[in-house]
Amino acid sequence: MAFITANWNPLGEAFYRKTDLYEMSWNLQDGLRDSLVAAAPYGGPIAFLREPHRCSPSSRPLLEIYSSSGVQITSFPWKSGPVVQLGWTVSDELLCVQKDGTVLIYDLFGSFKRHFSLGQEVVQTQVLEAKVFHSPYGTGVAIVTGSYRFTLATNIDDLKLRRLPEVPGLHGKPSSWVVLTQDRQTKVLLSNGPELYILDNTSCTAVCPPGVSPLSGSIVHMSVSFSYKYLALFTDTGHLWLGPSHLQDELIKVDTKKMTTPKQMVWCRRPQSQQPSVVLLWDRLLLVAGVCRDTVQFPIEEPCVLVGELDGVRIISSTNQELLQEVPLVCQEIFKIASMAPGALLLEAHREYEKCSQKADEYLREIKEQSMLGESVRQCVEAAAHEYDTNTQKSLLRAASFGKCFLTDYSPDQFVSTCRELRVLNAVREAGVGLPLTHTQFKQMTLQVLIDRLVYRRLYPLAIEICRYLKIPDYQGVSRVLKHWASCKVQQKDLSDEAIARAVCVKVGDSPGVSYSHIAAKAYECGRPELAIKLLDFEARSGEQVPLLLKMKRSQLALSKAVESGDTDLVYTVVSYLKSEMNRGDFFMTLRNQPVALSLYRQFCKLQEQETLKDLYNQDDDHQELANYYVTASYREKQRLESRLSLLQSAVDEYNKAKNEFAAKATEDEMRLLRFQRKLDDEKGAGLLGLSLQATMEALLALGLHKQAEQLYRDFRVPDKRYWWLKLKSLAEKEEWEELEKFSKSKKSPIGYLAFVEVCIKCNNKYEAKKYVSKVTPEQKVKAHLAVSDLEGAADAAIERRNESEMVVVLSRCPASDRLLIERLNRARATAAKK
Amino acid sequence: LAELADSPELPDFSLLKRLARDQLIYLLEQLPGKKDLFIEADLMSPLDRIANVSTLKQHEVDKLYKVEYKPIISTSDQVCFLIRPRIQTVKWIYVANADKAAGKFRRYKIIFTPQKFYACEAVLEEQGLFGDVTTDEWAFYLLPLDDDIISLELPEFFRDNFLAGDQRWVRTVGSALHLLHSIYGPFSKIYGIGRCAKMAYESWKEQVEEGDTKARQAEIGNAFLIDRDVDYITPLCSQVVYEGLVDDIFRIKCGCVEFGHDVTSSDKSVKVMLNSQDKVFSEIRNEHFSNVFSFLSQKARNLQTAYDKRRGMDIKQMKTFVSEELKGLKQEHRLLSLHIGACESIMKKKTKQDFQELLKTEHSLLEGFEIRECISFIEEHINRQVSMIESLRLLCLLSITENGLLPKDFRALKAQYLQSYGVDHLLTFANLRQLGLLVEQQPGETLTVMESKVGKLVNDKTAGKLTDAFSSLAKKSHFRALSRKLNLVPKSDEEYDLRVPRDMAYIFSGAYIPLSCKLIEQVLERDSWTGLEEVTKLLNGHEFAFTGSNGADLRAKSDAQRIILVMFLGGCTFSEISALRFLGRERGYKFIVVTTAITNSSRLIEALLGNKV
């Protein structure tokens, strides 16, 4: 433990330490010389392209991808054009920027994903230099072309190329440049000799940050910090200028006394850093220059690459990898020699306790006296998170756990979560996995992203274990991993469709949030439609199956799945797709087997395509519906009688075919009626066309065309009752009482004579009404008398019939004044009741 | 009223209105600035219940128009359409829109409610308008009409689903159920009968599984879904309970009725909201009409006594009387006079001989007596052209109760009808036949063989493969058998006192217990379908019962467990609601009726007319 501070180097107030991360397990023959190297932050993968400028077909350069610990993931000969720059995206994809401005994207395993171009003019002018950068919008690419113009794209997943304005006086490669992301804008900062320019979308502005005098030499290197907050400039006079990236202030100027341009210059700071500093790399020297004007120097034996991280710098050489970082304040307090910080005391107390020494109590007492026990536990837990060495982690956590025992109301959350997170971090730091994440980085990148990264590396079991260990809801955790696993699994060419489908089904089961249709889509993309269909069968939501089935041209299957889903929108989608894809006959046949789809389509046709409707019925030999269709159509031809008749004739034919004689007959009658109406309209201008039979007769009677009405009555076999009612009403309404009387005597009324009475009364002719009372059948006599308000007559009739209920009815109508009648009725009632 | 105290509190459904209003406002604000709003005609009343004109104005709606088949006259450069997802209306919007030709630029937004349909968007696309308009959805599924009535206000559901076989609304119903479930659920048990009910249940289930569920205190216990085609008899009968009668005669629209001058006895007509807020109405709505008048006159006397109190008052008492009671009395007075007016108007129409005979015929049909007389009554009804709709209604009632008409009668009556109302009703008859509402009796044996075959198919999962013709055969009515099994028609020899109802039959003057409500009663009583197998077989099956996801039935007798949601797919009548309210009072339940629309015999028949295309 005493040695923990051995590798600490003071720089101003702070200390810097180098922690060994890995002995690299790769075996690089030529070290890192002559290669393009790209190493992603957050412990990301490393890509090499050896001798990138070699482009003879006989000896192609080799592109190699390694994990951070140097385990080879893939390697393949580079067959495309010369590469200017390699870089990694936030989702662990490799970007290869070619000289001709084409950017090729590969995944972690070296399979080509897609490519895009940085513009046509670049093909001629060529890319001089390129930088891959990360911003809140994603991963971006910036280039400077042979015509010394800058082009950049802030997000390669949503490619929008922006050509930046020309820089005045720039007639050669800029001496150095960086991409800045500020105020939601991406800009380029470049130096041309001693001058500095900022290029944004529209303008190019010369800037002169305070303290950078043009005399101090031309700026040959610049570096912007991980968070884009700080900027470092290096001049050819060996001066280093540090300041905020908005260039309004100066932090410090350091004279490094090195005239050569450093190979790399990277900011090394952490959030809440005490001492922001910059790491400069020359061939044989690594120099840390801080704001305190001090420097720390490390000699270097072999070529290295620096990777800027959120809280430090990783130094990768061909043999090992180290993390250079400022010692976190809390570690400093605990481990600084002779520190009296509460954490340090607690650690000491625990150490004594393990030795069974009473000194433990003394230390504890001391902490308690300052009432800093809680603070001391917190410090130990926090420090443990920052330590890379598992033994140190353990002793700190044990100390924290020990201290916790003496606290009554200490929330264990921080302790527990740190323990869990450290366990996860230690697991991913393993050389086999090779993700050397610090706790700070882990917190920044979030667990979700860590799982994504593991998934990109196809470390599915580990990812699932982590999800389960940290109890992440399945939907965000295990299911997501399984989804990726399955998508990857379906690409395995050496396994049969059966085997894969089974394997996927067994593993995925019905985990929530895993969409089989998604996996199937993947399988289809890889050219395995059969597998896709097998997988789709597992999809519970039929709605999800349909789009893919359509894409795979399995339209019949798609239709039945859509119908199963009960979602008519989906059915309709498939139907309209089929309609455009198939010939009409096949289309109709398909619909015929799916009544739900058929009725949906029929509904649509009724409103949009009447003709199609006819074809549909024709296809099905549905004569009944076809006939109905013609009848409907005939009503749309109200104006032209001929076409209306011909449509009705078609309806008759179809009704006959459908063996619906009744309807055929009715339709024929209608045609006859129409012709009759037309004739009369022409002759008399009666305006009958389109009326019902009843209405026609009514109209005829109203016009006094009795003969014609009579003719209809006979021709159409109108029931007597109907005709009598009709004529009765019509005559009464026209007050042709004589005519009515004649009519009543023409033969025995089929509707009786009460109707005559009532209709006359309705027309306010009591006199005429009375004429018919005598003809009314005995059963209706009372009603008839009452209708003409002849109470006496009604009473007589009721008494004669000895019908008690009728008597009651009459009684209820008697005015109280008519004593005589009431008495008579009551008497009759009494006698009737006796019987 | 003593039992009422015992019944559980209903959940607060005004939340549904608030949700709908907030969403509408949000949608309107998506189109900032002044805009004109074009509203589909039958959405106007429902919209008015959610957000009145001043609310709309607050959110920068300038003018309101009805969507019609004519050019847009708006001068605003922002136009918003609020419509049902109907192809017809979408086409109107296009036709009405000459802007494109005139080179005028406006912003258009179409808000579909309650949801978009792909077909509508396809029409927009076909017309080349897809890029010019933005579309949105207003998830306004449920309109609470009263404390215990919620309507989807989708009258076309009935025709689309049962006649055209178009299942597009099933998902809508599922979503509506999901909405209720997520606010007032979880339900402890769900029962249902009918093919559509089953599909709606499945759609709902799917939506429940997709979303995440939070454990909540249930406010509704069980749910019961029922298809309208399970029971056509009930909506075809004349309504004689006050609320139903008012609906039959004056047509209640969205919980509101317009009384004409014959009711108000002035030259103005008055719009009245009919719900439990109306103290007079809430006491008579469920009463048989014969009791209503005496009740109202009693009420009038009470009112008079209340007014009369002022006689002996000193100034101070008078002051409190005026400030506290008078307003209430005046209000009551106004309502009372309106309802008395309505009653008089109803009496004028209904106490005539004709109506009595009509009821007598209906009752005979239900009992199965004197069918010949009934047929000649119907024939005369047609001959004399009393009413186009009414005649059809009687024909249907005859056909269902008699399990089809004899071929001779079938033809004669249809021919008579065509002579009366025109041959285009051939299409109406085709529709009625398809629904099994008006069919010809098949010679006995052939049918049963056919039927058992079809029956198997219907129960099979491949039910979809049935052609329309087959399914209409399967829709054979078994009213007589059902009536016997469920004892729907009480013995007629006993006197039925309508003032003190014995059972749900009171809503039809003691002549018939509505089949739909009887089924609900039976299932709730048994807590399952067991023992009703023969009945469900007669009804073509498709019954189901599922226990909900929560184990809530442990606390089975808590208040919420006595609240039952009944959902009618295809509409329900006020009489059925009255019957359920009666059942609730008897058994200590409270029923919430959710329906795709309020229906009655005229609406039902009108939806099936073939001559309106």
Side-chain angles (χ1 to χ4, degrees), chain A residues 569 572 595 607-608 694 719 722, chain B residues 91 118 385 416 419-420 464:
Chain A
D569 270 7
Y572 192 80
L607 292 161
Q608 287 287 75
Q694 170 94 2
R722 173 189 293 272
Chain B
K91 275 166 79 182
Y118 178 78
Q385 296 202 287
Q416 296 269 356
Q419 287 185 355
S420 279

Side-chain angles (χ1 to χ4, degrees), chain B residues 190-289:
Chain B
I190 294 197
Y191 309 100
I193 182 159
R195 203 166 139 193
C196 181
K198 187 97 182 264
M199 287 169 64
Y201 167 80
E202 270 155 17
S203 163
W204 164 69
K205 192 87 198 162
E206 212 168 86
Q207 293 179 51
V208 170
E209 274 161 15
E210 271 168 34
D212 45 2
T213 41
K214 285 172 222 118
R216 251 174 299 95
Q217 182 70 44
E219 290 182 76
I220 293 176
N222 298 342
F224 195 105
L225 313 185
I226 181 167
D227 277 14
R228 186 70 275 173
D229 68 354
V230 168
D231 173 17
Y232 280 130
I233 302 264
T234 309
L236 284 175
C237 292
S238 294
Q239 306 194 66
V240 283
V241 165
Y242 185 66
E243 192 168 10
L245 205 46
V246 170
D247 189 34
D248 271 358
I249 292 178
F250 303 100
R251 295 219 166 197
I252 300 175
K253 216 169 111 192
C254 218
C256 176
V257 73
E258 187 166 356
F259 284 134
H261 48 83
D262 54 331
V263 173
T264 55
S265 52
S266 66
D267 44 355
K268 268 187 289 179
S269 59
V270 181
K271 279 193 176 172
V272 189
M273 294 292 293
L274 293 181
N275 54 35
S276 52
Q277 304 299 313
D278 179 338
K279 289 280 170 303
V280 179
F281 178 68
S282 69
E283 285 186 63
I284 53 174
R285 67 197 305 185
N286 301 318
E287 290 294 319
H288 189 273
F289 186 68

Side-chain angles (χ1 to χ4, degrees), chain A residues 541 565-569 572-573 576 595-596 599-600 602-604 607-608 624-625 628 631-632 635 655 661-663 666-667 670 692-694 698 716-719 721-722 725 729 783, chain B residues 87-88 91 116-119 122-123 126 160 164-168 171 210 353 357 380 382-385 411 414-416 418-424 426-427 430 464-466 468 613:
Chain A
R541 295 160 299 167
S565 79
D567 181 347
T568 49
D569 270 7
Y572 192 80
T573 316
S576 54
V596 175
S599 21
L600 201 69
R602 265 191 208 156
Q603 281 286 86
F604 177 76
L607 292 161
Q608 287 287 75
Q624 172 72 28
E625 280 299 332
N628 288 347
V631 173
T632 314
Y635 283 94
Y655 278 131
E661 291 131 36
F662 173 79
T667 315
E670 169 72 2
S692 69
L693 181 61
Q694 170 94 2
E698 253 169 39
F716 288 90
R717 295 203 197 141
V718 177
K721 278 186 184 174
R722 173 189 293 272
W725 269 112
K729 267 197 216 157
K783 266 190 200 168
Chain B
I87 292 175
Q88 190 63 60
K91 275 166 79 182
K116 279 183 213 178
F117 282 132
Y118 178 78
V123 170
E126 238 169 66
D160 283 351
D166 176 348
Q167 297 165 351
R168 73 173 91 181
R171 216 179 157 73
E210 271 168 34
Q353 203 82 32
E357 277 182 21
E380 191 175 320
I382 298 170
N383 270 335
R384 295 177 58 188
Q385 296 202 287
R411 267 164 225 197
K414 279 202 319 189
Q416 296 269 356
L418 293 181
Q419 287 185 355
S420 279
Y421 299 107
V423 81
D424 41 346
L426 266 182
L427 304 175
K465 291 209 171 140
L466 274 178
D468 292 349
V613 178

